[in-house]
Amino acid sequence: MTKVNIMKKMPEKVIIPLKQHDGTACDPLVKKGDMVCEGQKIGECGVYNSASVHSSVSGEVISIEEAPHPNGNKVNSVIIQLSEEPECVDFNPKDVQDSELADFIKDAGIVEHYGFPTHMVLKPEGKKIDVVLVNATSSEWIGGHYDTPSQYSSQMLDALKLLMRASGASKGAIVLRNDDLESINAFDGLNYDGKPITVAPLVGKRKINYYFKDMSSDIVVVSQEHIYGKKILDLFTYNVTGRKVSFGCVPTDVGVAICSVKSAKALYDAVNAGKPYIETVVSVSGKVNNPQKILVKIGTTFKDVIEECGGYIGEPGKLIANGSITGVAQYTDEVPVSKTTTSIYVQSADEVVRGESVDCTHCARCVDVCPVNLIPSRIAAMSDQGRFDECRQMHIMNCVECGRCAAVCPSKIHVLQLIKYAKNSIEKAYEDLAPKESPANLKLGCGCSGGE
Amino acid sequence: MTFTISAPPHRKEAITFKKMTWAKVIALMPVVLLSVYLFGLPAIGLVIASILAAVVTEVAIQKAFNQKITIDDGSTILIGLMVAMIIPPEAPLWIPMIGSVFAIGIGKHAFGGIGSYVFNPVLAAWVFLSLAWWSIMSPLSYPQTTALSDLILETGAGHIAGVSPLALLIPGCILILLRYVEWRIPVSFFLTTILLAVLVGDSLSYVVLGVVLFGILFLATDTSSSPVTKNGRVIYGIVCGVLVVVYGHFANYVDAIFYGLFLANCVSSLIDNNTLPESYGTETFLQRKYKRILSKVPFKDRLEVLLND
Ligand code: SF4
Ligand code: SF4
């Protein structure tokens, strides 16, 4: 069980971005010079595609300005100088009605680590959700939080129930990774609601529907292979439920809501402890003296987190948020941990990849590693020539942006960038094409019919 | 503190194209050394002349077209070496030189260089030389093919590439295990050849020659002239095997391996285009048919339970 440490030394100031998700930025509720306390709401926005932002510490607002954000842009942020005396709003357990849960989640500021506000995943406008999945395959077990493994597993199941209540879905599943024995053992044999839980593997045609029937239960725990990447949601939906998400659609279009372990836990805490989303677990690795998993307040700068982990080893060369394969390289370490930050990785100067690309030799290594059966080399070549239509015919939209193709390429071709470039161009083309408010009964770009 | 900013991925495998080609060159060294032992100095002369000619041609072409000189990536040297290996050791020195000039100039650069050529330059050179100087290109002696012990050392006959099957097989397999050479083509090629040869009744010691193994492990796996799709590579291996046995059965397997591979090169892009993978979750032809039949079956409500899984 990897232990999660709690950050001991309080930072001097925190930078809390007013936008920590895809969607509309919040308006600040405080102004310069105000005193705030821990858990106080400092940003809110009336529209649906936004989640509130809370202060994670108590102190004085020293400014509201554009500050660096780990996604590489600058975002309007509230900068708070910590006060000597920590103050905290009262956290009380809440008794929330099912119909109010979505608003409650929005209010507690819970967002998915891939950037979507959780309430929009659970209650998308105009769509109906019938299955909720908790994806525990990408985030490692955050079991270090808990005293015993069974506490983790039963809390996850409780959280799943809350998520189902919020979305109105009748069925739910927790998806584990099949090489993550710790979690599997934590769930296997657990007695929940008088029923023993068995972790079932997803193999071949046996998707969760099979297990719902087989175990005559509305809640199942399944395991599958590890897939990673930036845009795995569509593939994940298919692997787990067998529903295919077509181009231009998202899993919610086929009635599937996917939440992460982090947001499930945040919801559990919000309901049972009344605590909004103000802290998150970040794993720090690479060239730091004391790599670890650490629970930090949102808004703590990377610099403070790394100091807590013993500081850099030598001169750092590259600082990466969210993973060495797909993450974003940072230009400064004065950038805050946000709700979507899952890891910090430091490279020394000589580890930084510098390689000149040479011609593709058709060695097919990229083909062998692609988890969704694409021909990355050919797609990259097409993208380079601007032949995006042909890229589409080669199912470029299935790419989960895992970056393996670029990592294994002996010719050091920038395969992933070329693929992303083509994907963006295709998406843009469709955005322009689809009329915002279509007068005709015609739907462009979307072929989904709400699941089969 | 300055941080480097660049696009992901931030970590890559250490393997490079340069390493891969040099590894192949090194893997061929045991055979070359053995051939020097068996054939004497002419073998060294052949190799040196061939590599020199290849390098000079490459530099001349890249200078003439203002390209970056890429001798250090090893591919020119590899091509030069392989050309020397498929020429009989008795041949005069100008034969490998013309061969290398043709391989680099026409086989590689005329088609657009590394990654773009359609025919393996080594095979192209072989075809060219054989058509022009057939008498010189036929080895004085073909390998003894009576005893299976020849699998270890085919004493002093044929080409450099054929002196010792074992000395090719072991480095070749190591390359495959290290993933420097991919496995699908050689495996399916090898199995098809053996299976068909047994079926048509050719003695195995007649089939498993050094040159054949050289073809399977080093010529067929040339990346530019073989398909990239997973299924395509298996099919390509099978096509190679079939062609080689067809030629070999009616003539000899030494020439068959070169001709067979050369022809297989012609169809490799065709194979590629016809084996592009479907999107995940797409039903295959058989699944579609199966569903259609089932949808016509009455009482399908009862079958629903089965179908839903
Ligand atoms: S194309 Fe590359 S980045 Fe996309 S899924 Fe395949 S291996 Fe991953
Ligand atoms: S791994 Fe690189 S060199 Fe090999 S086929 Fe893919 S893109 Fe081309």
Side-chain angles (χ1 to χ4, degrees):
Chain A
M1 193 191 310
T2 14
K3 181 114 183 58
V4 175
N5 297 317
I6 295 171
M7 187 158 165
K8 287 181 207 80
K9 193 171 151 277
M10 275 291 158
E12 267 166 34
K13 62 167 193 192
V14 294
I15 304 169
I16 301 181
L18 284 167
K19 180 175 146 122
Q20 305 191 23
H21 49 75
D22 312 335
T24 317
C26 293
D27 301 323
L29 298 175
V30 289
K31 55 185 190 307
K32 193 177 165 190
D34 280 0
M35 295 302 285
V36 293
C37 41
E38 186 177 335
Q40 183 183 338
K41 197 191 283 178
I42 54 173
E44 194 176 28
C45 180
V47 297
Y48 194 63
N49 65 352
S50 174
S52 307
V53 173
H54 301 77
S55 169
S56 55
V57 293
S58 59
E60 183 189 346
V61 177
I62 50 174
S63 86
I64 297 177
E65 60 178 35
E66 301 256 297
H69 187 278
N71 69 8
N73 298 324
K74 284 203 162 189
V75 164
N76 205 16
S77 310
V78 179
I79 301 175
I80 300 170
Q81 172 111 42
L82 263 70
S83 59
E84 313 271 290
E85 291 285 303
E87 267 178 82
C88 188
V89 290
D90 288 341
F91 294 146
N92 290 321
K94 305 247 163 43
D95 204 9
V96 200
Q97 296 300 313
D98 288 4
S99 55
E100 291 162 3
L101 256 170
D103 283 335
F104 175 75
I105 293 171
K106 176 175 191 291
D107 212 42
I110 302 173
V111 305
E112 295 301 323
H113 67 283
Y114 52 84
F116 236 63
T118 301
H119 65 275
M120 287 182 63
V121 176
L122 295 170
K123 270 230 170 341
E125 284 166 314
K127 300 174 201 163
K128 203 175 143 16
I129 297 295
D130 58 352
V131 182
V132 178
L133 306 175
V134 174
N135 177 5
T137 57
S138 50
S139 54
E140 273 94 54
W141 198 27
I142 54 166
H145 258 349
Y146 303 92
D147 297 336
T148 61
S150 67
Q151 199 185 354
Y152 160 71
S153 43
S154 53
Q155 211 181 85
M156 271 301 128
L157 287 163
D158 285 344
L160 176 62
K161 278 210 163 153
L162 279 173
L163 290 168
M164 284 162 65
R165 271 174 53 199
S167 64
S170 57
K171 294 193 160 66
I174 294 180
V175 187
L176 305 172
R177 215 165 75 196
N178 56 12
D179 56 352
D180 179 7
L181 290 179
E182 274 181 323
S183 304
I184 292 181
N185 289 338
F187 280 101
D188 228 356
L190 181 84
N191 221 329
Y192 186 75
D193 273 357
K195 253 191 221 162
I197 299 269
T198 330
V199 179
L202 291 170
V203 275
K205 297 256 149 208
R206 295 201 168 174
K207 311 275 183 199
I208 50 169
N209 274 346
Y210 173 85
Y211 291 113
F212 284 137
K213 274 200 196 97
D214 192 47
M215 302 187 182
S216 57
S217 158
D218 281 344
I219 293 184
V220 293
V221 182
V222 292
S223 68
Q224 67 149 23
E225 260 174 33
H226 184 201
I227 41 171
Y228 59 88
K230 268 227 156 115
K231 311 227 160 163
I232 62 162
L233 296 186
D234 296 357
L235 178 66
F236 185 77
T237 311
Y238 175 73
N239 272 358
V240 177
T241 63
R243 299 179 195 179
K244 178 111 172 73
V245 183
S246 37
F247 169 60
C249 300
V250 286
T252 47
D253 284 313
V254 294
V256 178
I258 302 173
C259 294
S260 63
V261 171
K262 275 190 172 189
S263 53
K265 166 133 181 60
L267 174 59
Y268 183 89
D269 287 349
V271 171
N272 289 299
K275 199 172 170 189
Y277 199 6
I278 54 169
E279 47 188 21
T280 183
V281 177
V282 178
S283 64
V284 184
S285 58
K287 289 277 178 283
V288 291
N289 281 312
N290 202 357
Q292 57 185 290
K293 283 185 191 233
I294 183 166
L295 181 73
V296 301
K297 306 270 182 204
I298 284 163
T300 315
T301 57
F302 281 21
K303 195 175 167 194
D304 289 326
V305 176
I306 286 166
E307 259 165 36
E308 179 78 20
C309 297
Y312 300 108
I313 299 178
E315 181 79 1
K318 210 180 204 182
L319 181 66
I320 301 149
N322 291 351
S324 58
I325 301 287
T326 54
V328 182
Q330 305 295 321
Y331 58 91
T332 166
D333 54 4
E334 297 276 351
V335 57
V337 169
S338 82
K339 289 172 188 171
T340 51
T341 309
T342 54
S343 71
I344 298 174
Y345 175 67
V346 184
Q347 273 182 334
S348 66
D350 47 320
E351 274 178 314
V352 174
V353 181
R354 286 195 182 80
E356 224 175 295
S357 354
V358 291
D359 293 333
C360 168
T361 57
H362 302 203
C363 69
R365 290 168 77 91
C366 52
V367 180
D368 288 338
V369 293
C370 181
V372 286
N373 275 337
L374 300 177
I375 311 287
S377 61
R378 200 180 259 224
I379 298 180
M382 299 281 184
S383 158
D384 206 15
Q385 298 164 1
R387 289 151 75 182
F388 301 134
D389 263 353
E390 278 155 277
C391 291
R392 263 205 71 196
Q393 280 159 16
M394 304 199 49
H395 315 295
I396 189 179
M397 294 327 260
N398 285 349
C399 170
V400 297
E401 298 185 11
C402 65
R404 293 184 216 197
C405 46
V408 298
C409 178
S411 297
K412 307 292 166 211
I413 293 170
H414 307 292
V415 192
L416 177 61
Q417 271 143 287
L418 286 165
I419 290 178
K420 273 190 179 170
Y421 171 60
K423 275 175 92 173
N424 284 345
S425 310
I426 293 170
E427 263 162 26
K428 286 236 175 65
Y430 273 80
E431 254 166 38
D432 295 348
L433 200 65
K436 291 270 172 305
E437 198 78 23
S438 168
N441 214 353
L442 187 76
K443 232 176 159 189
L444 280 174
C446 181
C448 40
S449 49
E452 284 172 61
Chain B
M1 228 176 275
T2 49
F3 295 102
T4 317
I5 317 177
S6 63
H10 305 292
R11 242 185 347 193
K12 292 188 178 179
E13 276 184 15
I15 188 164
T16 59
F17 174 57
K18 201 166 148 184
K19 270 193 202 166
M20 284 169 78
T21 37
W22 281 111
K24 284 186 198 171
V25 172
I26 291 167
L28 288 173
M29 279 304 133
V31 177
V32 173
L33 291 181
L34 263 178
S35 72
V36 174
Y37 172 72
L38 289 171
F39 294 130
L41 284 185
I44 294 197
L46 216 60
V47 170
I48 293 179
S50 183
I51 292 181
L52 267 184
V55 170
V56 169
T57 320
E58 173 98 359
V59 172
I61 289 177
Q62 290 185 328
K63 271 257 154 59
F65 291 98
N66 258 335
Q67 291 168 347
K68 213 176 137 243
I69 309 280
T70 54
I71 297 297
D72 64 334
D73 71 10
S75 82
T76 315
I77 290 161
L78 183 65
I79 291 176
L81 180 63
M82 297 220 278
V83 168
M85 290 179 72
I86 57 165
I87 288 172
E90 314 83 30
L93 284 188
W94 53 268
I95 283 274
M97 293 173 92
I98 291 187
S100 282
V101 171
F102 186 86
I104 300 290
I106 310 292
K108 180 174 165 191
H109 282 287
F111 284 97
I114 289 281
S116 309
Y117 52 76
V118 185
F119 298 107
N120 188 338
V122 182
L123 292 172
W126 184 84
V127 170
F128 171 72
L129 290 176
S130 295
L131 290 179
W133 296 283
W134 179 252
S135 53
I136 303 178
M137 284 301 285
S138 324
L140 283 183
S141 56
Y142 279 95
Q144 298 283 321
T145 51
T146 41
L148 217 60
S149 63
D150 284 339
L151 262 182
I152 299 161
L153 213 58
E154 281 161 5
T155 32
H159 312 95
I160 294 181
V163 290
S164 167
L166 214 59
L168 275 170
L169 192 64
I170 295 172
C173 290
I174 294 178
L175 283 187
I176 291 178
L177 287 182
L178 288 177
R179 297 204 305 127
Y180 276 39
V181 167
E182 73 92 39
W183 59 271
R184 281 187 180 81
I185 295 173
V187 169
S188 64
F189 189 170
F190 188 71
L191 292 182
T192 316
T193 316
I194 297 285
L195 202 76
L196 272 184
V198 171
L199 277 183
V200 298
D202 287 343
S203 139
L204 274 195
S205 65
Y206 184 53
V207 178
V208 188
L209 303 170
V211 202
V212 175
L213 286 178
F214 177 70
I216 291 177
L217 289 166
F218 291 91
L219 291 178
T221 54
D222 173 65
T223 52
S224 301
S225 53
S226 56
V228 291
T229 60
K230 285 183 194 166
N231 293 338
R233 273 174 274 158
V234 176
I235 294 174
Y236 180 74
I238 295 175
V239 170
C240 289
V242 171
L243 287 172
V244 167
V245 175
V246 167
Y247 275 104
H249 184 64
F250 296 107
N252 64 67
Y253 276 87
V254 177
D255 295 329
I257 188 91
F258 300 128
Y259 262 133
L261 277 173
F262 189 74
L263 284 183
N265 279 178
C266 305
V267 291
S268 96
S269 64
L270 188 77
I271 295 175
D272 236 352
N273 287 338
N274 285 300
T275 49
L276 293 178
E278 287 289 331
S279 172
Y280 69 84
T282 316
E283 290 165 337
T284 60
F285 179 75
L286 282 180
Q287 278 171 330
R288 274 202 304 271
K289 287 280 167 273
Y290 172 75
K291 273 219 166 153
R292 258 197 73 189
I293 294 170
L294 270 189
S295 67
K296 298 231 164 76
V297 175
F299 316 116
K300 73 167 186 289
D301 290 350
R302 261 181 246 161
L303 284 168
E304 200 100 282
V305 184
L306 291 172
L307 279 179
N308 241 343
D309 293 344

